[in-house]
Amino acid sequence: MKVIRTKSYEEMSRVAADVIGAQIIMKNDCLLGLATGTTPLGTYAELASRCAAGELDFSKVRTVNLDEYKGLAPDHVQSYRYFMDKHLFDLVNIDKANTRVPDGLAEDSAAMGLAYDEYIESVGGIDLQLLGIGHDGHIGFNEPDDCFTGPTHLVDLTEMTIDANSRLFESRDEVPRQAVTMGMKSIMQAKKILMVVNGEEKKEILKAALYGEITPQVPASLIQLHPDVTVVTDIEDI
Ligand code: F6R
């Protein structure tokens, strides 16, 4: 595992964009696994400005997102499809037909999840998976649990995640209580993992994930077993 410490959020975002940009340059039709949340916003802004400057070409890039809220339509302003369109896909020359986000409206989430994983496998797996980390150690929406779950699946969000995400909704009541998330199988089978983490308040959970016991109670700890992980963080003493 490689840990790159940066002096600021801006530098973290530039370094993360360097890693993703290098992936696109090395394989122009790569499959990127993408995350939402506050942390990658700067990374996406960097990628968009590099694309506008003609330095990156997304025309053949394919993407799969980690997760989506259960019950939110793609055009709902809090949906992760909406987020991705707004912060990346509408700002680069990607073919939207090549971008996938789990379907939060699917009646049968298990069947949808199976098809999602089959698509990932059918195009050769994820080349580079971008991850953030939740305050409770979640990646995607794989919440602390008694076991790791492999396939894309439906999850109940923890109170901690509902609290953390309520900052983005009008009120806590509006935060969906469930989500569909890529499971550990597709994440761990990605050829490379890039995790971005910013802010001192994530220091303890990041330490637990990178150096603590590998346990489903800290889902991110599983990436210790992945052979090619790069963590970029502005947190000191990690
Ligand atoms: C979202 C996702 C989540 C976030 C995590 C951190 O697609 O995968 O695991 O990465 O909740 O979110 P922020 O960056 O908002 O702190």
Side-chain angles (χ1 to χ4, degrees):
M1 177 180 311
K2 189 188 223 179
V3 180
I4 302 175
R5 295 167 192 83
T6 64
K7 292 203 165 47
S8 64
Y9 175 78
E10 290 71 25
E11 188 188 353
M12 180 199 82
S13 302
R14 283 195 299 275
V15 172
D18 288 345
V19 176
I20 298 170
Q23 174 65 67
I24 295 170
I25 290 165
M26 295 298 284
K27 185 179 177 191
N28 65 356
D29 62 347
C30 61
L31 179 63
L32 297 178
L34 297 178
T36 59
T38 310
T39 316
L41 283 174
T43 305
Y44 293 152
E46 272 291 323
L47 291 171
S49 78
R50 291 177 195 193
C51 183
E55 294 165 16
L56 286 179
D57 176 14
F58 282 77
S59 60
K60 297 204 174 86
V61 170
R62 291 167 296 187
T63 68
V64 280
N65 261 79
L66 283 166
D67 41 20
E68 180 59 281
Y69 285 118
K70 177 77 179 169
L72 294 197
D75 59 354
H76 189 290
V77 289
Q78 303 295 356
S79 77
Y80 286 171
R81 160 56 73 179
Y82 188 93
F83 175 103
M84 290 309 303
D85 285 348
K86 179 172 173 193
H87 294 293
L88 186 65
F89 301 151
D90 286 341
L91 309 177
V92 296
N93 65 331
I94 201 163
D95 178 354
K96 286 243 189 113
N98 289 337
T99 69
R100 301 206 174 192
V101 178
D103 180 0
L105 295 181
E107 270 180 35
D108 185 342
S109 296
M112 185 280 299
L114 204 62
Y116 203 70
D117 293 339
E118 277 171 8
Y119 167 73
I120 292 171
E121 273 186 49
S122 75
V123 294
I126 296 168
D127 291 293
L128 174 66
Q129 177 65 54
L130 176 65
L131 296 176
I133 186 171
H135 291 88
D136 58 3
H138 70 231
I139 50 177
F141 272 135
N142 293 279
E143 297 280 31
D145 203 346
D146 293 336
C147 61
F148 292 110
T149 304
T152 297
H153 61 289
L154 184 66
V155 283
D156 295 328
L157 301 181
T158 62
E159 293 300 316
M160 195 189 267
T161 299
I162 294 165
D163 283 343
N165 291 7
S166 62
R167 73 190 190 281
L168 305 168
F169 288 78
E170 295 268 306
S171 74
R172 192 180 188 280
D173 287 349
E174 283 180 28
V175 185
R177 270 33 185 180
Q178 291 185 308
V180 195
T181 183
M182 205 186 272
M184 292 301 189
K185 182 166 171 265
S186 297
I187 295 174
M188 289 299 286
Q189 286 181 345
K191 295 175 189 79
K192 298 189 192 81
I193 289 179
L194 169 65
M195 177 178 268
V196 285
V197 188
N198 92 286
E200 283 297 307
E201 75 278 6
K202 293 223 177 128
K203 185 172 183 164
E204 290 314 314
I205 193 63
L206 184 59
K207 272 192 179 164
L210 302 188
Y211 311 122
E213 184 194 351
I214 299 170
T215 163
Q217 295 300 334
V218 182
S221 63
L222 194 60
I223 68 170
Q224 291 179 38
L225 298 179
H226 191 283
D228 191 343
V229 176
T230 303
V231 179
V232 190
T233 181
D234 63 358
I235 302 172
E236 284 177 29
D237 314 322
I238 282 291

